[in-house]
Amino acid sequence: MSSSHCNLLYHIVFSTKDREPWMTAAIRPRIHEYLGGAIRGEKGIAIVVNGTADHVHILAKLRQDKALSKFIGELKANSSGWISRTLDGCAGFTWQEGYGAFTVSESQVPKVRRYIERQEEHHRSVSFLEEFKVILRAHGFPFDERYL
């Protein structure tokens, strides 16, 4: 085979530091737009970005030439700086250390997209922590609740 063919789809989740509700409904669309633009800036495709006041979910197709951990680290660092400098009332904003990143099969993209699009509705009855545990279990990921 003379060329490489990759379809690297990820469901990425990370929260605000200490899960503080920094991202009000008024500023959330700007943050989501910034994150999507940053992904496009890295030549990725932001399929959907959404979340609530204390966390974001991203479904994205990323390039194979940059390590996922480096990509997410830069995304979080750059976006937290932009949020702190740009958005009223957000000086000192920062993301929580760590993240969740899960591969998604092309056949599951519509399901994951709908799930991300319905975050506010979903979180009327389920906390972020409970949601994250469900995601970890669904991917067979062992975890210690002390570190979530």
Side-chain angles (χ1 to χ4, degrees), residues 14 16 22-23 27 30-32 34-35 56 75-95:
F14 48 88
T16 58
W22 280 92
M23 298 182 292
I27 65 170
R30 291 187 65 197
I31 294 170
H32 297 163
Y34 180 91
L35 292 168
V56 295
L75 179 66
K76 289 171 64 179
N78 294 337
S79 62
S80 65
W82 177 83
I83 292 165
S84 289
R85 289 187 311 274
T86 308
L87 301 178
D88 290 336
C90 290
F93 174 91
T94 189
W95 298 110

Side-chain angles (χ1 to χ4, degrees), residues 11-43:
H11 177 189
I12 301 165
V13 184
F14 48 88
S15 69
T16 58
K17 184 166 182 152
D18 298 324
R19 293 190 199 91
E20 290 293 322
W22 280 92
M23 298 182 292
T24 65
I27 65 170
R28 212 173 299 144
R30 291 187 65 197
I31 294 170
H32 297 163
E33 185 177 311
Y34 180 91
L35 292 168
I39 292 166
R40 286 187 297 280
E42 290 293 323
K43 310 241 183 324

